[in-house]
Amino acid sequence: MELTLPDLQEKLKSWDGCALSKNANPVLGEGNHNADVLFIGEAPGKKEDELGRPFVGSAGKFLDELIESMGWKRSDVYISNVVKYRPPDNRDPTPEEKAECMPWLMLEIAIIKPKVIVPLGRHSLGHFFDKLSISDAHGHPQPLTDDVTIFPIYHPAAAMHNGGLRQALHDDFAQLKIVLDSQGIAPPTE
Ligand code: URA
């Protein structure tokens, strides 16, 4: 039988392969299970931990706004994270925590089969291209395979601490829309 996203959600609840799971709630991705576009953040924050959903705090509100700036809706895409549990005090996830949680993201990608993957920030970009810096690569499509393009973008939370990045994020989403249009990728019709 094929594994589904609800199966993953269920299995993650009883997983203890990462020490963060002792003190935090599991947060898998959410959204369109057949999405062409997959956004990948770093790790859940306080609000995400409380609600068990990704990107539902202030960075999530900004991400929703950016997605809508392309004429898409949050429910058209799939949104996930590298790490599935909130690190204490929102510290950066360690390399071990990222490696431990990675199989979950790999399974999400295998099930959804997105055409465009958008790493949000350096932790997520590092999984795909560990030699690229987010400041150089953001806004530039990077072909991964014949079927998958990686389109790195700054993490939306970074713009909360640096006003200049807000415009960079808006510009990158405008560029993302151009890339999607050029590949004939449109939001699903209801
Ligand atoms: N930041 C992230 O990287 N992920 C979330 O889910 C929320 C904030």
Side-chain angles (χ1 to χ4, degrees):
M1 227 174 58
E2 254 181 56
L3 200 60
T4 64
L5 292 168
D7 295 336
L8 286 194
Q9 188 94 46
E10 215 35 55
K11 287 179 195 296
L12 184 60
K13 283 186 197 156
S14 55
W15 184 66
D16 61 1
C18 172
L20 292 174
S21 67
K22 290 198 186 70
N23 299 305
N25 294 310
V27 181
L28 198 73
E30 72 172 22
N32 175 1
H33 294 192
N34 298 307
D36 286 334
V37 187
L38 167 62
F39 289 88
I40 306 173
E42 175 182 327
K46 189 165 188 287
K47 191 94 183 167
E48 290 75 22
D49 178 55
E50 276 166 21
L51 299 180
R53 295 177 53 208
F55 280 99
V56 286
S58 48
K61 293 221 162 52
F62 187 33
L63 178 60
D64 291 353
E65 189 186 311
L66 290 160
I67 292 170
E68 284 159 20
S69 74
M70 301 192 300
W72 287 56
K73 298 192 298 294
R74 178 182 169 109
S75 57
D76 294 331
V77 304
Y78 191 86
I79 300 176
S80 195
N81 281 303
V82 171
V83 171
K84 303 309 188 198
Y85 301 88
R86 180 190 183 208
D89 303 320
N90 293 348
R91 64 156 169 73
D92 278 358
T94 64
E96 290 74 28
E97 289 159 355
K98 289 189 272 187
E100 286 162 357
C101 284
M102 191 48 71
W104 295 101
L105 180 62
M106 304 300 286
L107 286 168
E108 288 176 290
I109 294 173
I111 293 170
I112 297 161
K113 300 185 183 67
K115 295 182 177 142
V116 175
I117 296 178
V118 182
L120 297 166
R122 65 190 167 93
H123 291 280
S124 178
L125 175 62
H127 168 61
F128 297 98
F129 297 107
D130 67 349
K131 299 220 163 40
L132 284 186
S133 82
I134 190 73
S135 47
D136 291 335
H138 75 95
H140 301 291
Q142 320 277 336
L144 185 67
T145 65
D146 287 350
D147 305 316
V148 181
T149 301
I150 306 292
F151 191 93
I153 291 188
Y154 282 117
H155 193 292
M160 316 262 164
H161 316 291
N162 176 342
L165 286 189
R166 225 182 145 81
Q167 189 56 47
L169 273 150
H170 276 288
D171 294 347
D172 287 352
F173 270 78
Q175 195 57 39
L176 173 60
K177 171 81 165 76
I178 292 171
V179 169
L180 294 175
D181 288 351
S182 73
Q183 296 192 17
I185 300 172
T189 45
E190 274 137 53

